[in-house]
Amino acid sequence: MEGSQIFITEKQVQAALDLVPSHFVIHGRNSERNLDLGGGDYGVCTPIGPVNVRTLDEGKRAGTLKDVENLAKIYQASDVININTNNGVEAGDITDNPNAHMLVTKALLKNTDKPVYTRLYTYEELNEIMDMMEIVSGEKLEKGGNIWIAPGSCPSLSPMGYSREVADAIVALAERGQAVTLGSATSTGVTGPIQIFAAVVMQNAEQLAGIVLTQLINPGNAVGYGVAACPGNMKGARYCCGSPGRVMLQIGSIEMGKRFYNLPTRTEPYTTESSVNDFQSGMESYEGTMCNILSGADYQLGEIGTLDALMTTSYEKTILDEEITSRLLYVKKGIDVSEEAAALETILGVGSGGTFLLEDDTIDLMYDAWYPKYTDWNRDNIPDEERNYVLKRANAEWKRRLEEAPESMLEQGVEEALDDYIKVHSK
């Protein structure tokens, strides 16, 4: 150690890597929603950190605690999203409240039975959030126990550093046996080298440092290899999450995390530089999500529904990004190449010039194909003046979910226990 600079030996790195599990199960209150990340399940996560929301009705405005609650309900009702969050947007109306971390966590826990993500807080605040999870789960969060919570990201401070706050958060999570999802958000040419490969190399070093710290605190603690690097927009020296270069950066990191270290790995899809739901937004979001899902990542730092380079959560884009994900998960399943799926008997039975419309295979399997929920393949039925129908359908869908959501998913005694805890620990 020299001053604040710590040097880690190759032996220490290898010892830590030998301890990290190749997969971990993150639990939800509904055990049917548990996810084995790295073990075959795919985690579709929700955003961490946007400060604004956008809706078709109101346009863009600052996020509130009510938005945090609304988004938790929307994510809970999703057939695609399977990890919920207390930070779908920052609750700007309680920023100065020292108990904000507990208020947003209660808004999440009362509205979901899925596994959960949290944004990072101080060491003390993270422990209070984990205490609240204990109340809801009925289990102690401790070394050797079940994993009930993961951070959206414990990001390095590129280049080649970790802030004291993030290091403290890693310690807090590992002390209680919870998953530590690492993160590096290098901006090439700004906070990292401009070459793609060099950025992957530097990020990897940052990841390894986080792994060593985690294993020093709790040998065998679950770690996610997570990256969110993007090329810098050198016209303004800014982080640029709409560049195709981010696909190259993320694929390189997925290869490192999955194929080289055999660790649960996540990257950051859905990102766009666009400030509205337009062609650019759809193109950039699909591009990054395709990279994550089809390159073999195990889960996401979701950013689902985000616009404005992660600064805004759009209620409508949340719904549309679900459809992007659904399309790609269908592709991810791959092609059945069994003898039965070759359907040789059917092909020979129809013969030259025939039709397969009424074949038993067609009737039996046609409902297994993928069909859109919010986009439309019957384009001739849509008048020109209704070409924003996709946003209108998405708008109607999130409103339906909110209307049908229960007031609380917690038993009365559990919610009262949460309220009592918040009261006792309020500052």
Side-chain angles (χ1 to χ4, degrees), residues 288-423:
T289 310
M290 179 176 65
C291 153
N292 181 283
I293 293 176
L294 300 188
S295 293
D298 299 296
Y299 62 122
Q300 313 167 353
L301 172 55
E303 308 303 354
I304 195 165
T306 58
L307 296 164
D308 280 335
L310 311 181
M311 295 301 290
T312 299
T313 295
S314 162
Y315 279 48
E316 285 78 28
K317 187 172 183 284
T318 298
I319 304 301
L320 300 181
D321 282 350
E322 287 182 17
E323 186 152 308
I324 286 177
T325 310
S326 176
R327 286 173 179 263
L328 291 167
L329 289 176
Y330 181 79
V331 176
K332 180 182 172 67
K333 288 190 297 186
I335 300 172
D336 182 353
V337 293
S338 65
E339 184 175 346
E340 181 182 5
L344 294 178
E345 184 176 338
T346 302
I347 294 169
L348 294 173
V350 170
S352 301
T355 177
F356 290 84
L357 277 172
L358 299 179
E359 289 299 308
D360 289 344
D361 287 358
T362 303
I363 302 301
D364 292 342
L365 300 174
M366 64 183 184
Y367 295 105
D368 294 341
W370 186 91
Y371 290 96
K373 284 187 177 181
Y374 311 112
T375 51
D376 199 307
W377 290 346
N378 300 313
R379 58 193 179 281
D380 293 336
N381 299 330
I382 302 169
D384 287 344
E385 63 270 17
E386 293 295 326
R387 285 294 167 180
N388 61 348
Y389 67 92
V390 174
L391 287 177
K392 288 183 177 179
R393 288 179 181 176
N395 179 270
E397 173 60 15
W398 68 256
K399 289 177 177 176
R400 181 193 69 79
R401 294 184 188 182
L402 290 184
E403 186 175 335
E404 296 179 3
E407 182 59 32
S408 176
M409 297 184 67
L410 296 175
E411 295 179 2
Q412 183 176 348
V414 174
E415 187 163 349
E416 289 174 351
L418 273 183
D419 289 335
D420 290 342
Y421 181 90
I422 293 172
K423 183 177 180 180

Side-chain angles (χ1 to χ4, degrees), residues 94-317:
I94 58 170
T95 300
D96 296 330
N97 188 326
N99 307 306
H101 61 292
M102 293 189 287
L103 297 177
V104 297
T105 300
K106 182 192 173 186
L108 167 64
L109 295 178
K110 69 179 284 190
N111 288 298
T112 194
D113 62 0
K114 298 179 178 182
V116 301
Y117 250 23
T118 180
R119 60 157 286 185
L120 287 192
Y121 294 97
T122 67
Y123 179 88
E124 179 185 2
E125 290 168 344
L126 264 180
N127 272 290
E128 288 173 340
I129 287 172
M130 289 187 278
D131 289 345
M132 293 174 71
M133 179 57 75
E134 288 186 345
I135 293 170
V136 169
S137 68
E139 289 188 18
K140 292 290 290 181
L141 272 61
E142 58 188 0
K143 294 178 180 179
N146 287 325
I147 296 171
W148 285 93
I149 198 165
S153 179
C154 292
S156 56
L157 187 62
S158 300
M160 304 293 286
Y162 278 86
S163 68
R164 172 57 66 91
E165 291 78 9
V166 171
D168 284 349
I170 292 173
V171 171
L173 291 159
E175 283 179 340
R176 297 178 71 169
Q178 301 308 291
V180 173
T181 297
L182 299 169
S184 294
T186 304
S187 181
T188 62
V190 183
T191 60
I194 198 165
Q195 302 95 328
I196 296 290
F197 183 47
V200 171
V201 170
M202 189 190 79
Q203 283 190 142
N204 185 64
E206 294 171 352
Q207 298 284 300
L208 293 176
I211 290 170
V212 169
L213 173 59
T214 305
Q215 300 311 303
L216 287 173
I217 303 303
N218 180 22
N221 202 88
V223 177
Y225 187 104
V227 293
C230 288
N233 178 354
M234 301 313 292
K235 292 183 177 180
R238 294 180 299 145
Y239 186 81
C240 180
C241 60
S243 165
R246 83 194 190 285
V247 174
M248 300 164 68
L249 283 160
Q250 294 188 22
I251 288 175
S253 295
I254 291 170
E255 290 291 304
M256 291 297 295
K258 288 293 292 178
R259 319 238 184 258
F260 198 78
Y261 297 118
N262 193 30
L263 294 175
T265 301
R266 73 110 177 101
T267 59
E268 185 177 76
Y270 309 110
T271 56
T272 177
E273 292 290 311
S274 178
S275 59
V276 295
N277 288 294
D278 58 6
F279 177 79
Q280 177 184 340
S281 165
M283 175 177 61
E284 292 176 350
S285 297
Y286 193 91
E287 179 181 71
T289 310
M290 179 176 65
C291 153
N292 181 283
I293 293 176
L294 300 188
S295 293
D298 299 296
Y299 62 122
Q300 313 167 353
L301 172 55
E303 308 303 354
I304 195 165
T306 58
L307 296 164
D308 280 335
L310 311 181
M311 295 301 290
T312 299
T313 295
S314 162
Y315 279 48
E316 285 78 28
K317 187 172 183 284

